[in-house]
């Protein structure tokens, strides 16, 4: 039924398919969609064996999407459960392809979103002060992401939302200050 619904939407012009899957897992499926063979799909299924997603039904589902809806772009919106396998494989791919900046942008945005979600949840109960401990590349109130400077760093994003409530203090010590 999911395949039938997707094929109908695809025929009507849709191309983006959101999945209950991790970001890296979906990106590897997108690479597989462009590949000549099923090596990446096989690696995906090797990693997810023992889960619902590891069944032959899903392998057939993906193969039919590749055959019948070849311009499909997968979007993983779940946490990356397979961070030790597929997540690591995707980061290795990004590094090999010189695309570290993509991973950096994704990470910076996720850190900001996760911080906001947690703080907003606390604020719903009580307006409370919190403290965060993060590396300096994430804490400049006017800073940009480390790798390519294309998105505001985490603290910058937080400052844009919460204003003066966000305070950042650089606690790095210089080599001259070390004994």
């Amino acid at each position: 039924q999911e395949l039938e619904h997707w094929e109908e939407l695809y025929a009507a012009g849709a191309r983006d398919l959101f999945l209950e899957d991790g970001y890296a897992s979906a990106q590897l499926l997108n690479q597989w969609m462009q590949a000549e063979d099923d090596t990446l799909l096989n690696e995906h299924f090797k990693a997810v064996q023992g889960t619902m997603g590891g069944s032959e039904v899903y392998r057939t589902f993906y193969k039919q999407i590749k055959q019948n809806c070849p311009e499909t772009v997968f979007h993983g919106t779940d946490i990356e459960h397979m961070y030790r396998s597929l997540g690591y494989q995707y980061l290795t791919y990004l590094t090999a392809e010189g695309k570290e900046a993509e991973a950096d942008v994704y990470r910076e945005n996720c850190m900001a979103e996760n911080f906001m979600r947690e703080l907003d949840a606390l604020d719903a109960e009580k307006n409370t002060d919190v403290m965060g401990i993060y590396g300096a590349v994430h804490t400049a109130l006017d800073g940009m992401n480390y790798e390519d400077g294309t998105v505001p760093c985490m603290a910058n994003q937080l400052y844009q939302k919460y204003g003066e409530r966000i305070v950042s203090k650089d606690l790095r010590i210089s080599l001259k200050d070390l004994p």
Side-chain angles (χ1 to χ4, degrees), residues 15-35:
R15 294 297 182 264
D16 298 287
L17 181 57
F18 285 55
L19 302 173
E20 183 183 342
D21 210 342
Y23 177 82
S25 299
Q27 293 306 311
L28 288 171
L29 286 172
N30 288 329
Q31 288 177 7
W32 164 72
M33 290 288 286
Q34 305 304 315

Side-chain angles (χ1 to χ4, degrees), residues 148-169:
D148 68 356
T150 59
V151 299
C153 73
M154 179 189 72
N156 188 339
Q157 291 182 46
L158 297 174
Y159 191 75
Q160 289 175 29
K161 179 173 181 178
Y162 300 107
E164 299 296 322
R165 185 170 178 201
I166 301 299
V167 176
S168 180
K169 185 171 183 179

Side-chain angles (χ1 to χ4, degrees), residues 69-84:
C69 309
E71 295 176 16
T72 297
V73 177
F74 297 107
H75 298 270
T77 58
D78 199 350
I79 61 170
E80 186 58 66
H81 297 289
M82 301 297 151
Y83 59 90
R84 287 190 178 119

Side-chain angles (χ1 to χ4, degrees), residues 23 104-117 154 157:
Y23 177 82
D104 182 56
V105 167
Y106 176 73
R107 179 180 180 220
E108 204 69 48
N109 288 333
C110 284
M111 289 175 66
E113 290 168 15
N114 290 341
F115 192 106
M116 289 178 206
R117 182 189 64 244
M154 179 189 72
Q157 291 182 46

Side-chain angles (χ1 to χ4, degrees), residues 43 45 60:
E43 290 177 15
F45 277 92
T60 301

Side-chain angles (χ1 to χ4, degrees), residues 43-81:
E43 290 177 15
H44 174 83
F45 277 92
K46 181 179 176 185
V48 298
Q49 284 305 301
T51 71
M52 293 284 288
S55 72
E56 284 301 314
V57 171
Y58 277 101
R59 181 190 298 271
T60 301
F61 173 76
Y62 289 124
K63 285 184 142 198
Q64 288 176 327
I65 286 177
K66 186 173 183 175
Q67 179 181 342
N68 301 335
C69 309
E71 295 176 16
T72 297
V73 177
F74 297 107
H75 298 270
T77 58
D78 199 350
I79 61 170
E80 186 58 66
H81 297 289

